[in-house]
Amino acid sequence: MSITTFAVAGATGRLGRHIVDLLTERGHRVVPMSRATGVDIITGAGLAEALTGAEVIIDVASWHASDQDAATEFFRTSACNLHEYGQKAGVTQIAMASIIGADKATAGFLAAKKVHEELLLSGPIPVRILRAAQFHEFVGQLLDWQQGDVAYIPALPTQLVACRTVAEELVDLATAPAAPAPGTPIPEIAGPRGETMAEAAQLLGARRGIKVVGVDGSGMPDAELAANGAFLPGPHAKLAGPTFQEWLDTQP
Ligand SMILES: NC(=O)c1ccc[n+]([C@@H]2O[C@H](COP(=O)([O-])OP(=O)(O)OC[C@H]3O[C@@H](n4cnc5c(N)ncnc54)[C@H](OP(=O)(O)O)[C@@H]3O)[C@@H](O)[C@H]2O)c1
C-alpha cells in the first residue's frame, strides 16, 4: 500500500501505541488522536482538524471501566462522531478493534462492544472489524482494580493475546487493498494457548507479591456463557504468540 494518512483514535492506549508504532515503521503518516493529544472523539474537540487529510481511521479508543451503560454511551457517541466528522473529511475506511464474543454477549462491556460494532457498521463509511481475545496487558489492569495482597479473579476460560500481535493484525487489515468477500466471517485473533484468567493472573500476581484466588465468576455478566467457552476464539481465528508466560518474561 502506498503512503496513507491514518488517524488513530485511542493512540495512547494499550493497543493504540503499538498501532502508531507499526504504522510509522511501515512509512505511513499517523495522526494520533486521544484527549492527551488534544482530540476528544466524544465532544468533537479537535476532531475536524485531526481528520483533515486522513484517509483511514483506526478506532481503538475505549471507555475506561466495565459499566455497560456508560461504555455503550461512549461507543454510541464515538461511532456517530467518527462517521460524521470522517465523512466530511473524506475518510474512505474505518478499522476497529472489537472483542471475541461481542456478537454473543447479552450484558456487560461485551454487550457495549456489540453496539459499538453495529453502530460503526451502520454508518456511511465502510468499516472493517477485527475481534481480539483479551490482551495479556489486561491482566495487570484486573489486578490494579483490586486492593490489598489478595485478588479474586474469575477462573473463566480465555485465550489471551499480546497487544503487539493484535496491532499487527489490525494494521494488516486496515492496509489490505481489497475488502473481504461478502460472507467472510469477521476475523478473530487470539493467543496460542487456552487458560483461565485466574491462572494468568496468578503468574503476574507472583511477580507483584499478590496472592490470586480463582473464583467461579458467577455474578459477572454472561458468566455462564463465558464458563461454557462462548467467548473463546472460533475455528477461523488466527492464533499467534507469544503465550502469556513468554510475554511476561519479556516485561521489565
Ligand atoms: N483490553 C482488552 O483486553 C481488549 C481485548 C480485545 C479488544 N479490546 C478493544 O481494543 C480497543 C483498545 O483497548 P485498550 O485496552 O488498548 O484501551 P485503553 O488502553 O483503555 O486505551 C483507551 C484509549 O482511548 C482514548 N480515549 C478515551 N476517551 C477518549 C476520548 N473521549 N477521546 C479520544 N480518545 C479517548 C484514551 O486516551 P485519553 O485518555 O488520552 O483520551 C486511550 O488512548 C478497545 O476498543 C477495546 O474494546 C480490548
Side-chain angles (χ1 to χ4, degrees), residues 56-91:
V56 178
I57 294 172
I58 298 190
D59 178 11
V60 288
S62 194
W63 182 245
H64 57 80
S66 59
D67 175 63
Q68 180 181 350
D69 289 343
T72 302
E73 194 48 38
F74 178 89
F75 291 128
R76 192 184 299 285
T77 308
S78 68
C80 177
N81 283 343
L82 291 179
H83 273 295
E84 185 188 325
Y85 287 76
Q87 195 181 29
K88 283 184 195 145
V91 167

PDB file of all heavy atoms in Angstrom, residues 56-91:
ATOM      1  N   VAL A  56      -7.806   6.985   6.367  1.00  0.00           N
ATOM      2  CA  VAL A  56      -8.309   5.839   7.141  1.00  0.00           C
ATOM      3  C   VAL A  56      -8.306   6.207   8.621  1.00  0.00           C
ATOM      4  O   VAL A  56      -7.359   6.832   9.107  1.00  0.00           O
ATOM      5  CB  VAL A  56      -7.415   4.591   6.921  1.00  0.00           C
ATOM      6  CG1 VAL A  56      -7.899   3.418   7.768  1.00  0.00           C
ATOM      7  CG2 VAL A  56      -7.368   4.197   5.446  1.00  0.00           C
ATOM      8  N   ILE A  57      -9.388   5.812   9.323  1.00  0.00           N
ATOM      9  CA  ILE A  57      -9.424   5.932  10.793  1.00  0.00           C
ATOM     10  C   ILE A  57      -9.237   4.533  11.373  1.00  0.00           C
ATOM     11  O   ILE A  57      -9.890   3.582  10.925  1.00  0.00           O
ATOM     12  CB  ILE A  57     -10.777   6.487  11.282  1.00  0.00           C
ATOM     13  CG1 ILE A  57     -10.988   7.936  10.811  1.00  0.00           C
ATOM     14  CG2 ILE A  57     -10.868   6.410  12.816  1.00  0.00           C
ATOM     15  CD1 ILE A  57     -12.395   8.472  11.101  1.00  0.00           C
ATOM     16  N   ILE A  58      -8.358   4.408  12.361  1.00  0.00           N
ATOM     17  CA  ILE A  58      -8.308   3.172  13.144  1.00  0.00           C
ATOM     18  C   ILE A  58      -8.865   3.516  14.519  1.00  0.00           C
ATOM     19  O   ILE A  58      -8.340   4.395  15.214  1.00  0.00           O
ATOM     20  CB  ILE A  58      -6.880   2.599  13.228  1.00  0.00           C
ATOM     21  CG1 ILE A  58      -6.387   2.241  11.818  1.00  0.00           C
ATOM     22  CG2 ILE A  58      -6.862   1.375  14.135  1.00  0.00           C
ATOM     23  CD1 ILE A  58      -5.098   1.455  11.754  1.00  0.00           C
ATOM     24  N   ASP A  59      -9.961   2.853  14.876  1.00  0.00           N
ATOM     25  CA  ASP A  59     -10.650   3.178  16.128  1.00  0.00           C
ATOM     26  C   ASP A  59     -10.298   2.151  17.201  1.00  0.00           C
ATOM     27  O   ASP A  59     -10.826   1.033  17.209  1.00  0.00           O
ATOM     28  CB  ASP A  59     -12.171   3.196  15.880  1.00  0.00           C
ATOM     29  CG  ASP A  59     -12.949   3.495  17.169  1.00  0.00           C
ATOM     30  OD1 ASP A  59     -12.320   3.886  18.174  1.00  0.00           O
ATOM     31  OD2 ASP A  59     -14.189   3.321  17.163  1.00  0.00           O
ATOM     32  N   VAL A  60      -9.374   2.540  18.089  1.00  0.00           N
ATOM     33  CA  VAL A  60      -9.030   1.692  19.229  1.00  0.00           C
ATOM     34  C   VAL A  60      -9.189   2.490  20.526  1.00  0.00           C
ATOM     35  O   VAL A  60      -8.504   2.230  21.514  1.00  0.00           O
ATOM     36  CB  VAL A  60      -7.610   1.088  19.098  1.00  0.00           C
ATOM     37  CG1 VAL A  60      -7.589   0.021  18.026  1.00  0.00           C
ATOM     38  CG2 VAL A  60      -6.553   2.145  18.801  1.00  0.00           C
ATOM     39  N   ALA A  61     -10.098   3.468  20.490  1.00  0.00           N
ATOM     40  CA  ALA A  61     -10.410   4.212  21.715  1.00  0.00           C
ATOM     41  C   ALA A  61     -11.330   3.355  22.575  1.00  0.00           C
ATOM     42  O   ALA A  61     -12.036   2.477  22.076  1.00  0.00           O
ATOM     43  CB  ALA A  61     -11.092   5.526  21.365  1.00  0.00           C
ATOM     44  N   SER A  62     -11.306   3.597  23.876  1.00  0.00           N
ATOM     45  CA  SER A  62     -12.151   2.782  24.749  1.00  0.00           C
ATOM     46  C   SER A  62     -12.611   3.556  25.972  1.00  0.00           C
ATOM     47  O   SER A  62     -11.957   4.512  26.398  1.00  0.00           O
ATOM     48  CB  SER A  62     -11.384   1.532  25.200  1.00  0.00           C
ATOM     49  OG  SER A  62     -12.276   0.600  25.772  1.00  0.00           O
ATOM     50  N   TRP A  63     -13.726   3.119  26.508  1.00  0.00           N
ATOM     51  CA  TRP A  63     -14.193   3.598  27.803  1.00  0.00           C
ATOM     52  C   TRP A  63     -13.333   2.921  28.863  1.00  0.00           C
ATOM     53  O   TRP A  63     -12.908   1.774  28.694  1.00  0.00           O
ATOM     54  CB  TRP A  63     -15.677   3.253  27.974  1.00  0.00           C
ATOM     55  CG  TRP A  63     -16.273   3.739  29.257  1.00  0.00           C
ATOM     56  CD1 TRP A  63     -16.766   2.985  30.281  1.00  0.00           C
ATOM     57  CD2 TRP A  63     -16.468   5.106  29.645  1.00  0.00           C
ATOM     58  NE1 TRP A  63     -17.243   3.792  31.286  1.00  0.00           N
ATOM     59  CE2 TRP A  63     -17.061   5.099  30.923  1.00  0.00           C
ATOM     60  CE3 TRP A  63     -16.175   6.337  29.043  1.00  0.00           C
ATOM     61  CZ2 TRP A  63     -17.388   6.271  31.620  1.00  0.00           C
ATOM     62  CZ3 TRP A  63     -16.491   7.506  29.727  1.00  0.00           C
ATOM     63  CH2 TRP A  63     -17.089   7.460  30.992  1.00  0.00           C
ATOM     64  N   HIS A  64     -13.071   3.615  29.971  1.00  0.00           N
ATOM     65  CA  HIS A  64     -12.053   3.160  30.924  1.00  0.00           C
ATOM     66  C   HIS A  64     -12.554   2.172  31.976  1.00  0.00           C
ATOM     67  O   HIS A  64     -11.766   1.675  32.777  1.00  0.00           O
ATOM     68  CB  HIS A  64     -11.444   4.379  31.637  1.00  0.00           C
ATOM     69  CG  HIS A  64     -12.481   5.215  32.324  1.00  0.00           C
ATOM     70  ND1 HIS A  64     -12.990   4.878  33.544  1.00  0.00           N
ATOM     71  CD2 HIS A  64     -13.139   6.340  31.932  1.00  0.00           C
ATOM     72  CE1 HIS A  64     -13.903   5.777  33.880  1.00  0.00           C
ATOM     73  NE2 HIS A  64     -14.011   6.666  32.913  1.00  0.00           N
ATOM     74  N   ALA A  65     -13.866   1.870  31.967  1.00  0.00           N
ATOM     75  CA  ALA A  65     -14.390   0.988  33.016  1.00  0.00           C
ATOM     76  C   ALA A  65     -15.340  -0.022  32.385  1.00  0.00           C
ATOM     77  O   ALA A  65     -15.646   0.049  31.200  1.00  0.00           O
ATOM     78  CB  ALA A  65     -15.100   1.818  34.088  1.00  0.00           C
ATOM     79  N   SER A  66     -15.829  -0.968  33.207  1.00  0.00           N
ATOM     80  CA  SER A  66     -16.589  -2.082  32.631  1.00  0.00           C
ATOM     81  C   SER A  66     -18.100  -1.858  32.625  1.00  0.00           C
ATOM     82  O   SER A  66     -18.835  -2.691  32.110  1.00  0.00           O
ATOM     83  CB  SER A  66     -16.263  -3.369  33.407  1.00  0.00           C
ATOM     84  OG  SER A  66     -16.591  -3.186  34.760  1.00  0.00           O
ATOM     85  N   ASP A  67     -18.577  -0.722  33.160  1.00  0.00           N
ATOM     86  CA  ASP A  67     -20.012  -0.465  33.261  1.00  0.00           C
ATOM     87  C   ASP A  67     -20.672  -0.435  31.866  1.00  0.00           C
ATOM     88  O   ASP A  67     -20.276   0.343  30.996  1.00  0.00           O
ATOM     89  CB  ASP A  67     -20.223   0.878  33.977  1.00  0.00           C
ATOM     90  CG  ASP A  67     -21.674   1.271  34.008  1.00  0.00           C
ATOM     91  OD1 ASP A  67     -22.464   0.548  34.620  1.00  0.00           O
ATOM     92  OD2 ASP A  67     -22.013   2.301  33.378  1.00  0.00           O
ATOM     93  N   GLN A  68     -21.688  -1.285  31.690  1.00  0.00           N
ATOM     94  CA  GLN A  68     -22.284  -1.448  30.354  1.00  0.00           C
ATOM     95  C   GLN A  68     -22.908  -0.164  29.818  1.00  0.00           C
ATOM     96  O   GLN A  68     -22.683   0.210  28.658  1.00  0.00           O
ATOM     97  CB  GLN A  68     -23.347  -2.554  30.386  1.00  0.00           C
ATOM     98  CG  GLN A  68     -24.006  -2.786  29.033  1.00  0.00           C
ATOM     99  CD  GLN A  68     -25.072  -3.867  29.058  1.00  0.00           C
ATOM    100  OE1 GLN A  68     -25.203  -4.591  30.049  1.00  0.00           O
ATOM    101  NE2 GLN A  68     -25.825  -3.998  28.007  1.00  0.00           N
ATOM    102  N   ASP A  69     -23.707   0.530  30.646  1.00  0.00           N
ATOM    103  CA  ASP A  69     -24.431   1.702  30.144  1.00  0.00           C
ATOM    104  C   ASP A  69     -23.461   2.817  29.746  1.00  0.00           C
ATOM    105  O   ASP A  69     -23.609   3.432  28.688  1.00  0.00           O
ATOM    106  CB  ASP A  69     -25.413   2.221  31.206  1.00  0.00           C
ATOM    107  CG  ASP A  69     -26.577   1.257  31.378  1.00  0.00           C
ATOM    108  OD1 ASP A  69     -26.783   0.406  30.491  1.00  0.00           O
ATOM    109  OD2 ASP A  69     -27.262   1.338  32.420  1.00  0.00           O
ATOM    110  N   ALA A  70     -22.500   3.070  30.610  1.00  0.00           N
ATOM    111  CA  ALA A  70     -21.545   4.153  30.322  1.00  0.00           C
ATOM    112  C   ALA A  70     -20.709   3.804  29.090  1.00  0.00           C
ATOM    113  O   ALA A  70     -20.451   4.662  28.240  1.00  0.00           O
ATOM    114  CB  ALA A  70     -20.647   4.392  31.531  1.00  0.00           C
ATOM    115  N   ALA A  71     -20.297   2.532  28.997  1.00  0.00           N
ATOM    116  CA  ALA A  71     -19.488   2.119  27.838  1.00  0.00           C
ATOM    117  C   ALA A  71     -20.319   2.210  26.556  1.00  0.00           C
ATOM    118  O   ALA A  71     -19.833   2.663  25.515  1.00  0.00           O
ATOM    119  CB  ALA A  71     -18.960   0.706  28.041  1.00  0.00           C
ATOM    120  N   THR A  72     -21.584   1.806  26.627  1.00  0.00           N
ATOM    121  CA  THR A  72     -22.451   1.870  25.445  1.00  0.00           C
ATOM    122  C   THR A  72     -22.601   3.316  24.979  1.00  0.00           C
ATOM    123  O   THR A  72     -22.526   3.617  23.780  1.00  0.00           O
ATOM    124  CB  THR A  72     -23.844   1.267  25.764  1.00  0.00           C
ATOM    125  OG1 THR A  72     -23.661  -0.072  26.205  1.00  0.00           O
ATOM    126  CG2 THR A  72     -24.752   1.278  24.550  1.00  0.00           C
ATOM    127  N   GLU A  73     -22.797   4.210  25.926  1.00  0.00           N
ATOM    128  CA  GLU A  73     -22.953   5.626  25.587  1.00  0.00           C
ATOM    129  C   GLU A  73     -21.679   6.160  24.924  1.00  0.00           C
ATOM    130  O   GLU A  73     -21.725   6.912  23.952  1.00  0.00           O
ATOM    131  CB  GLU A  73     -23.284   6.418  26.860  1.00  0.00           C
ATOM    132  CG  GLU A  73     -23.804   7.820  26.620  1.00  0.00           C
ATOM    133  CD  GLU A  73     -24.926   7.884  25.575  1.00  0.00           C
ATOM    134  OE1 GLU A  73     -25.784   6.976  25.535  1.00  0.00           O
ATOM    135  OE2 GLU A  73     -24.928   8.851  24.781  1.00  0.00           O
ATOM    136  N   PHE A  74     -20.536   5.754  25.472  1.00  0.00           N
ATOM    137  CA  PHE A  74     -19.242   6.176  24.893  1.00  0.00           C
ATOM    138  C   PHE A  74     -19.146   5.714  23.436  1.00  0.00           C
ATOM    139  O   PHE A  74     -18.862   6.509  22.535  1.00  0.00           O
ATOM    140  CB  PHE A  74     -18.091   5.590  25.725  1.00  0.00           C
ATOM    141  CG  PHE A  74     -16.716   5.916  25.194  1.00  0.00           C
ATOM    142  CD1 PHE A  74     -16.055   7.075  25.590  1.00  0.00           C
ATOM    143  CD2 PHE A  74     -16.074   5.072  24.288  1.00  0.00           C
ATOM    144  CE1 PHE A  74     -14.782   7.388  25.088  1.00  0.00           C
ATOM    145  CE2 PHE A  74     -14.813   5.377  23.786  1.00  0.00           C
ATOM    146  CZ  PHE A  74     -14.161   6.540  24.191  1.00  0.00           C
ATOM    147  N   PHE A  75     -19.390   4.415  23.208  1.00  0.00           N
ATOM    148  CA  PHE A  75     -19.211   3.879  21.850  1.00  0.00           C
ATOM    149  C   PHE A  75     -20.281   4.417  20.892  1.00  0.00           C
ATOM    150  O   PHE A  75     -20.030   4.602  19.702  1.00  0.00           O
ATOM    151  CB  PHE A  75     -19.223   2.344  21.878  1.00  0.00           C
ATOM    152  CG  PHE A  75     -18.010   1.745  22.564  1.00  0.00           C
ATOM    153  CD1 PHE A  75     -18.144   0.803  23.577  1.00  0.00           C
ATOM    154  CD2 PHE A  75     -16.726   2.133  22.195  1.00  0.00           C
ATOM    155  CE1 PHE A  75     -17.027   0.257  24.203  1.00  0.00           C
ATOM    156  CE2 PHE A  75     -15.601   1.597  22.820  1.00  0.00           C
ATOM    157  CZ  PHE A  75     -15.756   0.651  23.817  1.00  0.00           C
ATOM    158  N   ARG A  76     -21.494   4.669  21.408  1.00  0.00           N
ATOM    159  CA  ARG A  76     -22.558   5.244  20.579  1.00  0.00           C
ATOM    160  C   ARG A  76     -22.116   6.614  20.050  1.00  0.00           C
ATOM    161  O   ARG A  76     -22.201   6.903  18.859  1.00  0.00           O
ATOM    162  CB  ARG A  76     -23.826   5.399  21.441  1.00  0.00           C
ATOM    163  CG  ARG A  76     -25.085   5.722  20.668  1.00  0.00           C
ATOM    164  CD  ARG A  76     -26.260   5.946  21.637  1.00  0.00           C
ATOM    165  NE  ARG A  76     -26.594   4.784  22.464  1.00  0.00           N
ATOM    166  CZ  ARG A  76     -27.234   3.697  22.036  1.00  0.00           C
ATOM    167  NH1 ARG A  76     -27.638   3.636  20.788  1.00  0.00           N
ATOM    168  NH2 ARG A  76     -27.495   2.699  22.847  1.00  0.00           N
ATOM    169  N   THR A  77     -21.619   7.434  20.953  1.00  0.00           N
ATOM    170  CA  THR A  77     -21.227   8.795  20.567  1.00  0.00           C
ATOM    171  C   THR A  77     -19.979   8.765  19.689  1.00  0.00           C
ATOM    172  O   THR A  77     -19.887   9.483  18.685  1.00  0.00           O
ATOM    173  CB  THR A  77     -20.969   9.642  21.829  1.00  0.00           C
ATOM    174  OG1 THR A  77     -22.116   9.532  22.674  1.00  0.00           O
ATOM    175  CG2 THR A  77     -20.740  11.100  21.493  1.00  0.00           C
ATOM    176  N   SER A  78     -19.006   7.916  20.056  1.00  0.00           N
ATOM    177  CA  SER A  78     -17.759   7.902  19.263  1.00  0.00           C
ATOM    178  C   SER A  78     -18.037   7.404  17.850  1.00  0.00           C
ATOM    179  O   SER A  78     -17.522   7.967  16.872  1.00  0.00           O
ATOM    180  CB  SER A  78     -16.675   7.063  19.948  1.00  0.00           C
ATOM    181  OG  SER A  78     -16.995   5.692  19.950  1.00  0.00           O
ATOM    182  N   ALA A  79     -18.869   6.377  17.701  1.00  0.00           N
ATOM    183  CA  ALA A  79     -19.168   5.844  16.366  1.00  0.00           C
ATOM    184  C   ALA A  79     -19.838   6.918  15.507  1.00  0.00           C
ATOM    185  O   ALA A  79     -19.491   7.124  14.332  1.00  0.00           O
ATOM    186  CB  ALA A  79     -20.066   4.610  16.480  1.00  0.00           C
ATOM    187  N   CYS A  80     -20.798   7.609  16.112  1.00  0.00           N
ATOM    188  CA  CYS A  80     -21.531   8.657  15.398  1.00  0.00           C
ATOM    189  C   CYS A  80     -20.573   9.778  14.970  1.00  0.00           C
ATOM    190  O   CYS A  80     -20.570  10.208  13.811  1.00  0.00           O
ATOM    191  CB  CYS A  80     -22.626   9.164  16.347  1.00  0.00           C
ATOM    192  SG  CYS A  80     -23.560  10.485  15.694  1.00  0.00           S
ATOM    193  N   ASN A  81     -19.709  10.215  15.883  1.00  0.00           N
ATOM    194  CA  ASN A  81     -18.788  11.316  15.575  1.00  0.00           C
ATOM    195  C   ASN A  81     -17.743  10.913  14.533  1.00  0.00           C
ATOM    196  O   ASN A  81     -17.403  11.697  13.645  1.00  0.00           O
ATOM    197  CB  ASN A  81     -18.078  11.798  16.849  1.00  0.00           C
ATOM    198  CG  ASN A  81     -18.990  12.663  17.701  1.00  0.00           C
ATOM    199  OD1 ASN A  81     -20.009  13.157  17.220  1.00  0.00           O
ATOM    200  ND2 ASN A  81     -18.643  12.846  18.956  1.00  0.00           N
ATOM    201  N   LEU A  82     -17.218   9.693  14.653  1.00  0.00           N
ATOM    202  CA  LEU A  82     -16.176   9.283  13.696  1.00  0.00           C
ATOM    203  C   LEU A  82     -16.754   9.222  12.284  1.00  0.00           C
ATOM    204  O   LEU A  82     -16.103   9.627  11.315  1.00  0.00           O
ATOM    205  CB  LEU A  82     -15.550   7.944  14.102  1.00  0.00           C
ATOM    206  CG  LEU A  82     -14.694   7.999  15.383  1.00  0.00           C
ATOM    207  CD1 LEU A  82     -14.130   6.622  15.714  1.00  0.00           C
ATOM    208  CD2 LEU A  82     -13.553   9.013  15.268  1.00  0.00           C
ATOM    209  N   HIS A  83     -18.002   8.750  12.152  1.00  0.00           N
ATOM    210  CA  HIS A  83     -18.629   8.749  10.823  1.00  0.00           C
ATOM    211  C   HIS A  83     -18.914  10.175  10.347  1.00  0.00           C
ATOM    212  O   HIS A  83     -18.616  10.515   9.198  1.00  0.00           O
ATOM    213  CB  HIS A  83     -19.933   7.943  10.854  1.00  0.00           C
ATOM    214  CG  HIS A  83     -19.722   6.473  10.602  1.00  0.00           C
ATOM    215  ND1 HIS A  83     -19.255   5.981   9.408  1.00  0.00           N
ATOM    216  CD2 HIS A  83     -19.912   5.392  11.391  1.00  0.00           C
ATOM    217  CE1 HIS A  83     -19.159   4.658   9.469  1.00  0.00           C
ATOM    218  NE2 HIS A  83     -19.555   4.276  10.667  1.00  0.00           N
ATOM    219  N   GLU A  84     -19.489  10.982  11.222  1.00  0.00           N
ATOM    220  CA  GLU A  84     -19.901  12.329  10.787  1.00  0.00           C
ATOM    221  C   GLU A  84     -18.682  13.179  10.393  1.00  0.00           C
ATOM    222  O   GLU A  84     -18.623  13.722   9.294  1.00  0.00           O
ATOM    223  CB  GLU A  84     -20.681  13.005  11.924  1.00  0.00           C
ATOM    224  CG  GLU A  84     -21.258  14.340  11.528  1.00  0.00           C
ATOM    225  CD  GLU A  84     -21.861  15.077  12.715  1.00  0.00           C
ATOM    226  OE1 GLU A  84     -22.422  14.422  13.620  1.00  0.00           O
ATOM    227  OE2 GLU A  84     -21.736  16.314  12.741  1.00  0.00           O
ATOM    228  N   TYR A  85     -17.717  13.264  11.292  1.00  0.00           N
ATOM    229  CA  TYR A  85     -16.524  14.081  11.001  1.00  0.00           C
ATOM    230  C   TYR A  85     -15.678  13.406   9.910  1.00  0.00           C
ATOM    231  O   TYR A  85     -15.066  14.079   9.088  1.00  0.00           O
ATOM    232  CB  TYR A  85     -15.681  14.280  12.265  1.00  0.00           C
ATOM    233  CG  TYR A  85     -16.269  15.237  13.277  1.00  0.00           C
ATOM    234  CD1 TYR A  85     -17.335  14.857  14.094  1.00  0.00           C
ATOM    235  CD2 TYR A  85     -15.747  16.513  13.449  1.00  0.00           C
ATOM    236  CE1 TYR A  85     -17.865  15.725  15.041  1.00  0.00           C
ATOM    237  CE2 TYR A  85     -16.269  17.394  14.392  1.00  0.00           C
ATOM    238  CZ  TYR A  85     -17.325  16.987  15.187  1.00  0.00           C
ATOM    239  OH  TYR A  85     -17.841  17.853  16.132  1.00  0.00           O
ATOM    240  N   GLY A  86     -15.644  12.068   9.934  1.00  0.00           N
ATOM    241  CA  GLY A  86     -14.852  11.345   8.947  1.00  0.00           C
ATOM    242  C   GLY A  86     -15.386  11.552   7.543  1.00  0.00           C
ATOM    243  O   GLY A  86     -14.627  11.758   6.587  1.00  0.00           O
ATOM    244  N   GLN A  87     -16.698  11.507   7.405  1.00  0.00           N
ATOM    245  CA  GLN A  87     -17.294  11.697   6.074  1.00  0.00           C
ATOM    246  C   GLN A  87     -16.983  13.096   5.532  1.00  0.00           C
ATOM    247  O   GLN A  87     -16.625  13.253   4.368  1.00  0.00           O
ATOM    248  CB  GLN A  87     -18.802  11.473   6.138  1.00  0.00           C
ATOM    249  CG  GLN A  87     -19.421  11.305   4.766  1.00  0.00           C
ATOM    250  CD  GLN A  87     -20.926  11.098   4.818  1.00  0.00           C
ATOM    251  OE1 GLN A  87     -21.593  11.591   5.736  1.00  0.00           O
ATOM    252  NE2 GLN A  87     -21.462  10.386   3.862  1.00  0.00           N
ATOM    253  N   LYS A  88     -17.111  14.093   6.417  1.00  0.00           N
ATOM    254  CA  LYS A  88     -16.811  15.468   5.975  1.00  0.00           C
ATOM    255  C   LYS A  88     -15.358  15.600   5.532  1.00  0.00           C
ATOM    256  O   LYS A  88     -15.033  16.378   4.633  1.00  0.00           O
ATOM    257  CB  LYS A  88     -17.083  16.453   7.124  1.00  0.00           C
ATOM    258  CG  LYS A  88     -18.567  16.743   7.317  1.00  0.00           C
ATOM    259  CD  LYS A  88     -18.763  17.801   8.396  1.00  0.00           C
ATOM    260  CE  LYS A  88     -20.213  17.828   8.849  1.00  0.00           C
ATOM    261  NZ  LYS A  88     -20.377  18.110  10.269  1.00  0.00           N
ATOM    262  N   ALA A  89     -14.460  14.821   6.173  1.00  0.00           N
ATOM    263  CA  ALA A  89     -13.024  14.923   5.864  1.00  0.00           C
ATOM    264  C   ALA A  89     -12.636  14.059   4.664  1.00  0.00           C
ATOM    265  O   ALA A  89     -11.492  14.096   4.228  1.00  0.00           O
ATOM    266  CB  ALA A  89     -12.209  14.519   7.091  1.00  0.00           C
ATOM    267  N   GLY A  90     -13.570  13.235   4.175  1.00  0.00           N
ATOM    268  CA  GLY A  90     -13.242  12.377   3.018  1.00  0.00           C
ATOM    269  C   GLY A  90     -12.574  11.062   3.393  1.00  0.00           C
ATOM    270  O   GLY A  90     -11.911  10.436   2.558  1.00  0.00           O
ATOM    271  N   VAL A  91     -12.738  10.620   4.642  1.00  0.00           N
ATOM    272  CA  VAL A  91     -12.173   9.331   5.074  1.00  0.00           C
ATOM    273  C   VAL A  91     -12.860   8.210   4.287  1.00  0.00           C
ATOM    274  O   VAL A  91     -14.076   8.218   4.101  1.00  0.00           O
ATOM    275  CB  VAL A  91     -12.396   9.141   6.603  1.00  0.00           C
ATOM    276  CG1 VAL A  91     -12.117   7.710   7.036  1.00  0.00           C
ATOM    277  CG2 VAL A  91     -11.534  10.131   7.384  1.00  0.00           C
TER     278      VAL A  91
END
